[in-house]
């Protein structure tokens, strides 16, 4: 669904340089401005300014495989960025680029107008955003925005939105797809749920990371990402099954993968992972552990909706088998290992051609 185009782009946030006023001082300020039409016009123009590096401070929570690249794009775009990560060393590349370090999500939010989060699990999301003593919302000033880019529970996204609204703030769920390569190349698909005007106002920030797709109200971004994961799960099973089949048939698997990539079997998963599998490169662009989490959320939502998706259930079982073998910190392309074990084969040196 495209984002509505009829809504005016209005600035969602008060400029960081604009001080808070008591009601009496605010009234005096309004009276003084009313005496000058020029001042009134200038104030109106300022209120309609879009988000920009000159007037918007960004907070970033989570500097892992994806988050580090995504946040880096914002720094390069000129935004003032404060970061928080439980393992400080993972934030060091961003600090070297000029980001500031916060010691908690709460302290980060005091320095931010828009707070992004991309962490591991729904429990992490709840902790960094909603914890009453250390979470970002506790110190985010009215008008501020929380943007959670973690793949998480739709119900939690709705809860965060309600909590933010009660405090005079905004919240958007905006999980992403595209893996580590998409994050590095600023080519992510972003699935946004929340108030449409809020999402539109955030587009200057989203645009430096990828393409934002407005999916509906709170939680709908998460539902869209979960549907994306359902599609990827069965696609990955098909990819590795096809490669094992080609190997057993005596084909050069590299030539096979290259041949099918331009036909109806071609897919983004094949483009991203076909050659990595042949090279036995299982470094995580997206962790098996996190994919198991995503598929578990999908299955829970399926149960709630009374929906049977057997391909999803099979894929989740295969990925769980990787965890059982201690391979949860490998990338999702490691699914080939599960199929190799089932068939007592190994695709090492199965083909020398690149995809």
């Amino acid at each position: 669904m495209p984002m509505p185009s009829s809504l005016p782009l209005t600035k969602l946030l008060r400029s960081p340089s604009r001080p808070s006023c008591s009601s009496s001082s605010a009234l005096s300020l309004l009276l003084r401005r009313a005496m000058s039409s020029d001042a009134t016009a200038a104030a109106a123009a300022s209120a309609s300014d879009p988000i920009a590096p000159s007037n918007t401070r960004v907070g970033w929570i989570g500097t892992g495989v994806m988050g580090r690249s995504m946040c880096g794009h914002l720094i390069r775009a000129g935004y003032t960025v404060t970061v928080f990560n439980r393992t400080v060393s993972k934030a060091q590349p961003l600090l070297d680029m000029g980001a500031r370090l916060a010691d908690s999500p709460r302290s980060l939010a005091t320095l931010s107008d828009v707070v992004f989060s991309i962490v591991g699990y729904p429990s992490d999301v709840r902790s960094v955003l909603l914890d009453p003593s250390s979470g970002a919302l506790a110190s985010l000033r009215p008008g501020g925005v929380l943007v959670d880019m973690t793949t998480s529970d739709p119900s939690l996204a709705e809860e965060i939105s309600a909590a933010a609204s009660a405090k005079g703030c905004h919240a958007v769920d905006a999980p992403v797809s595209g893996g580590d390569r998409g994050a590095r190349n600023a080519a992510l698909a972003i699935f946004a749920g929340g108030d449409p005007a809020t999402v539109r106002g955030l587009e200057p920030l989203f645009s430096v990371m990828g393409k934002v797709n407005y999916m509906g109200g709170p939680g709908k971004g998460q539902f869209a990402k979960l549907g994306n994961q359902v599609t990827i799960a069965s696609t990955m099973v098909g990819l590795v099954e096809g490669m094992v089949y080609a190997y057993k048939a005596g084909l050069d698997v590299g030539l096979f993968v290259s041949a099918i990539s331009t036909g109806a079997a071609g897919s983004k998963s094949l483009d991203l992972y076909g050659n990595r599998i042949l090279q036995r490169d299982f470094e995580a662009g997206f962790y098996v552990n996190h994919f198991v989490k995503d598929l578990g959320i999908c299955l829970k939502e399926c149960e709630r909706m009374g929906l049977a998706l057997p391909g999803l259930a099979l894929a989740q079982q295969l990925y769980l088998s990787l965890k059982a073998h201690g391979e949860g910190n490998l990338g999702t392309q490691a699914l080939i290992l599960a199929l190799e074990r089932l068939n007592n084969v190994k695709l090492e040196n199965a083909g020398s051609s690149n995809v």
Side-chain angles (χ1 to χ4, degrees):
M1 180 190 300
M3 285 192 296
S5 58
S6 58
L7 290 167
L9 179 61
T10 57
K11 186 175 179 184
L12 300 168
L13 312 165
R14 186 167 51 194
S15 169
S17 62
R18 190 180 304 168
S20 300
C21 302
S22 66
S23 57
S24 59
S25 60
L27 179 60
S28 299
L29 178 60
L30 288 173
L31 289 172
R32 288 197 300 273
R33 284 182 173 176
M35 297 174 64
S36 168
S37 59
D38 289 343
T40 301
S46 175
S48 64
D49 285 347
I51 285 174
S54 62
N55 61 25
T56 307
R57 303 168 303 167
V58 174
W60 193 279
I61 301 171
T63 59
V65 174
M66 301 282 288
R68 186 163 55 247
S69 293
M70 295 160 70
C71 183
H73 294 309
L74 293 171
I75 296 172
R76 281 186 286 270
Y79 288 94
T80 298
V81 177
T82 303
V83 300
F84 170 79
N85 199 72
R86 286 176 297 186
T87 305
V88 175
S89 61
K90 291 184 178 180
Q92 192 59 50
L94 299 172
L95 302 179
D96 293 342
M97 294 173 65
R100 296 179 293 186
L101 181 67
D103 61 7
S104 71
R106 180 170 185 152
S107 62
L108 175 143
T110 63
L111 302 171
S112 307
D113 302 303
V114 181
V115 174
F116 289 90
S117 56
I118 181 164
V119 291
Y121 298 89
S123 59
D124 299 319
V125 174
R126 181 179 295 280
S127 175
V128 301
L129 297 185
L130 296 183
D131 187 282
S133 60
S134 61
L137 184 58
S139 62
L140 190 67
R141 66 179 179 178
V145 187
L146 300 176
V147 184
D148 182 35
M149 307 190 86
T150 315
T151 302
S152 183
D153 291 307
S155 60
L156 179 55
E158 294 171 355
E159 181 183 346
I160 293 168
S161 179
S165 180
K167 196 180 174 184
C169 299
H170 310 270
V172 170
D173 47 293
V176 300
S177 181
D180 58 328
R181 187 179 300 179
R184 288 195 304 270
N185 296 334
L188 293 168
I190 303 168
F191 309 106
D195 174 70
T198 303
V199 174
R200 261 168 58 86
L202 292 167
E203 190 158 1
L205 296 167
F206 287 139
S207 66
V208 303
M209 294 180 271
K211 181 182 184 298
V212 63
N213 305 272
Y214 180 70
M215 307 308 299
K220 298 302 184 186
Q222 293 295 351
F223 276 118
K225 174 59 187 294
L226 294 175
N228 178 84
Q229 302 301 73
V230 171
T231 305
I232 288 175
S234 292
T235 301
M236 287 296 293
V237 172
L239 171 60
V240 297
E241 285 189 343
M243 294 178 74
V244 170
Y245 178 87
Y247 176 78
K248 288 291 285 187
L251 295 173
D252 179 307
V253 183
L255 289 175
F256 166 75
V257 170
S258 180
I260 68 171
S261 67
T262 57
S267 68
K268 182 68 74 172
S269 293
L270 187 152
D271 293 341
L272 287 173
Y273 300 123
N275 202 40
R276 294 192 198 187
I277 290 170
L278 287 173
Q279 295 177 353
R280 312 301 286 182
D281 174 7
F282 301 129
E283 184 177 354
F286 190 74
Y287 291 108
V288 166
N289 281 334
H290 291 168
F291 201 43
V292 169
K293 175 263 297 184
D294 293 356
L295 301 186
I297 295 173
C298 290
L299 287 168
K300 182 177 69 175
E301 291 297 324
C302 285
E303 183 176 359
R304 185 182 64 80
M305 293 186 283
L307 185 63
L309 298 181
L312 166 64
L314 171 61
Q316 201 240 13
Q317 289 294 302
L318 291 170
Y319 275 104
L320 275 173
S321 78
L322 296 179
K323 286 194 66 172
H325 281 84
E327 295 159 348
N329 287 325
L330 300 181
T332 51
Q333 70 273 25
L335 185 62
I336 191 67
L337 300 176
L339 270 292
E340 288 177 341
R341 281 190 284 262
L342 280 174
N343 293 285
N344 195 28
V345 299
K346 197 166 186 178
L347 269 63
E348 279 187 319
N349 303 315
S352 57
S353 302
N354 290 337
V355 176

